């Protein structure tokens, strides 16, 4: 059975027949083009599995005689009989697609029989939340950074669950330091929600507004039209700046993170504390 090789199998294809020799020729071309051994082994496994199935169905594997219906039948077999996962399905499709494109370039076939087989959408898992240990590291890095604005941005995202777009649109007056409440305005019709602010966030925001932000705003030739909370020397910051700040500050703490991960972390912490999914949805503005 020629499909018994695995992706880790580095052996050459058993070319007892000229029909299978073409697969080895293709694999050799991949090696010549600098493809990794693992990539070639994966292609070998998928191509031999396909050739084996074709032999069982048609009696022989003859490349020029393959039709789109044969390819469609094979992938239907993978879906229904083998019950392969989307990622596995897409790997098989990728291997055959590369093989047929090469065969066209080599004038072995005239048309690509796999052209109508579409990739399967792979559902992404839920975004990861930071562990308690990583949260502590990120908080420590945010509190000790000399750039108060960047530290305030990361702590605000982590401890309020705001979206980047909501953070960009925050105004200074949206913070009630006495009650430690942040008011977030979002959507049409004057919709808003109130989010409690931990003491740490209030402290770093007050320090940022009083010193760093005031110094930056004082250098403007023209006053801001709106008193945005987070600003740069060129004016209010944008979403790309927020993403860059979160990644950079996270990297300084040895953490690969992004704003949506901080939002998910906030949701996870609140859910674990309260067990109230409705409350979490309200705080996130869903």
């Amino acid at each position: 059975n020629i499909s018994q090789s695995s992706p880790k199998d580095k052996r050459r294809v058993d070319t007892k027949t000229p029909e299978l020799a073409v697969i080895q020729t293709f694999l050799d071309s991949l090696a010549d083009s600098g493809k990794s051994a693992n990539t070639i082994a994966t292609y070998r496994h998928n191509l031999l599995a396909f050739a084996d199935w074709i032999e069982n169905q048609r009696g022989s594997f003859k490349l020029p005689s393959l039709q789109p219906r044969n390819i469609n039948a094979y992938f239907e077999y993978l879906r229904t009989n083998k019950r392969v996962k989307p990622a596995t399905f897409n790997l098989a499709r990728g291997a055959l697609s590369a093989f047929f494109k090469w065969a066209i370039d080599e004038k072995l076939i005239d048309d690509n029989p796999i052209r109508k087989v579409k990739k399967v959408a792979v559902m992404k898992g839920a975004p990861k939340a930071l562990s308690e240990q990583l949260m502590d590291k990120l908080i420590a890095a945010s509190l000790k950074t000399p750039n108060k604005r960047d530290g305030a941005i990361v702590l605000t995202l982590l401890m309020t669950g705001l979206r980047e777009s909501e953070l960009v649109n925050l105004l200074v007056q949206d913070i009630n330091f006495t009650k430690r409440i942040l008011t977030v305005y979002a959507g049409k019709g004057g919709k808003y929600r109130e989010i409690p602010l931990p003491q740490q966030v209030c402290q770093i925001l007050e320090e940022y507004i009083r010193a760093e932000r005031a110094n930056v705003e004082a250098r403007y030739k023209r006053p801001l039209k709106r008193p945005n909370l987070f600003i740069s020397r060129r004016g209010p910051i944008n979403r790309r700046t927020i993403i860059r700040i979160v990644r950079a500050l996270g990297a300084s703490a040895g953490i690969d993170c992004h704003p949506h991960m901080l939002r998910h972390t906030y949701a996870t912490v609140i859910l674990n504390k309260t067990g109230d999914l409705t409350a979490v949805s309200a705080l996130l503005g869903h």
Side-chain angles (χ1 to χ4, degrees):
N1 188 323
I2 63 176
S3 67
Q4 290 177 345
S5 63
S6 71
K8 295 181 180 180
D9 186 0
K10 305 295 191 298
R11 295 174 300 174
R12 292 175 65 85
V13 172
D14 182 5
T15 56
K16 292 179 180 179
T17 64
E19 289 81 5
L20 292 181
V22 70
I23 294 178
Q24 185 59 53
T25 304
F26 166 67
L27 297 174
D28 289 341
S29 74
L30 294 179
D32 293 339
S33 65
K35 295 292 185 183
S36 70
N38 284 337
T39 296
I40 294 171
T42 299
Y43 276 36
R44 177 189 294 110
H45 169 73
N46 281 287
L47 289 171
L48 291 181
F50 170 68
D52 189 34
W53 185 86
I54 289 292
E55 282 192 349
N56 289 333
Q57 297 294 312
R58 306 183 64 195
S60 64
F61 175 78
K62 294 182 179 180
L63 183 58
S65 66
L66 290 177
Q67 299 295 320
R69 64 176 180 274
N70 306 131
I71 313 301
N72 293 335
Y74 175 65
F75 282 98
E76 185 62 26
Y77 161 77
L78 292 182
R79 270 190 291 256
T80 58
N81 293 64
K82 299 290 287 184
R83 302 287 187 184
V84 299
K85 295 180 179 179
T88 304
F89 181 97
N90 291 338
L91 270 178
R93 184 194 175 280
L96 267 67
S97 180
F99 175 60
F100 289 133
K101 287 178 181 177
W102 169 84
I104 291 174
D105 291 340
E106 295 295 315
K107 312 297 184 184
L108 301 177
I109 56 176
D110 296 324
D111 199 12
N112 193 334
I114 201 175
R115 63 186 184 280
K116 292 187 178 180
V117 177
K118 304 298 182 183
K119 287 184 178 180
V120 177
V122 179
M123 296 297 292
K124 294 182 178 180
K128 293 181 179 179
L130 294 176
S131 65
E132 187 174 341
Q133 181 181 10
L134 291 181
M135 280 184 62
D136 290 342
K137 290 179 67 174
L138 187 59
I139 290 170
S142 301
L143 291 174
K144 75 178 183 181
T145 179
N147 190 318
K148 293 297 180 183
R149 184 202 65 181
D150 292 1
I153 284 173
V154 172
L155 282 183
T156 301
L157 289 170
L158 181 61
M159 298 190 181
T160 65
L162 292 187
R163 303 175 177 92
E164 301 104 290
S165 58
E166 293 172 336
L167 194 80
V168 165
N169 291 315
L170 281 181
L171 305 181
V172 173
Q173 60 262 37
D174 292 336
I175 306 171
N176 186 323
F177 287 106
T178 302
K179 295 182 178 180
R180 293 197 304 196
I181 292 291
L182 174 67
T183 303
V184 182
Y185 296 90
K188 298 179 180 179
K191 294 181 180 179
Y192 70 92
R193 67 185 188 278
E194 293 182 335
I195 303 174
L197 285 176
Q199 180 60 39
Q200 281 180 318
V201 181
C202 285
Q203 182 178 341
I204 196 170
L205 282 171
E206 282 187 298
E207 293 174 358
Y208 159 66
I209 292 171
R210 186 171 58 250
E212 194 174 295
R213 186 188 180 282
N215 290 335
V216 172
E217 188 175 20
R219 297 191 183 98
Y220 288 162
K221 294 182 180 179
R222 296 179 181 178
L224 288 169
K225 294 181 180 179
R226 301 173 73 241
N228 291 77
L229 176 59
F230 294 112
I231 60 176
S232 69
R233 289 177 295 177
R234 297 181 178 181
I237 63 172
N238 55 37
R239 294 178 65 182
R240 284 181 297 179
T241 301
I242 292 174
I243 294 171
R244 177 182 57 78
I245 289 169
V246 171
R247 288 196 178 279
L249 200 48
S252 72
I255 304 168
D256 182 14
C257 60
H258 51 82
H260 193 63
M261 180 184 288
L262 304 188
R263 178 172 165 84
H264 187 67
T265 299
Y266 171 78
T268 301
V269 170
I270 298 301
L271 184 60
N272 289 340
K273 285 184 176 179
T274 66
D276 188 344
L277 190 57
T278 302
V280 174
S281 295
L283 288 170
L284 292 177
H286 286 165

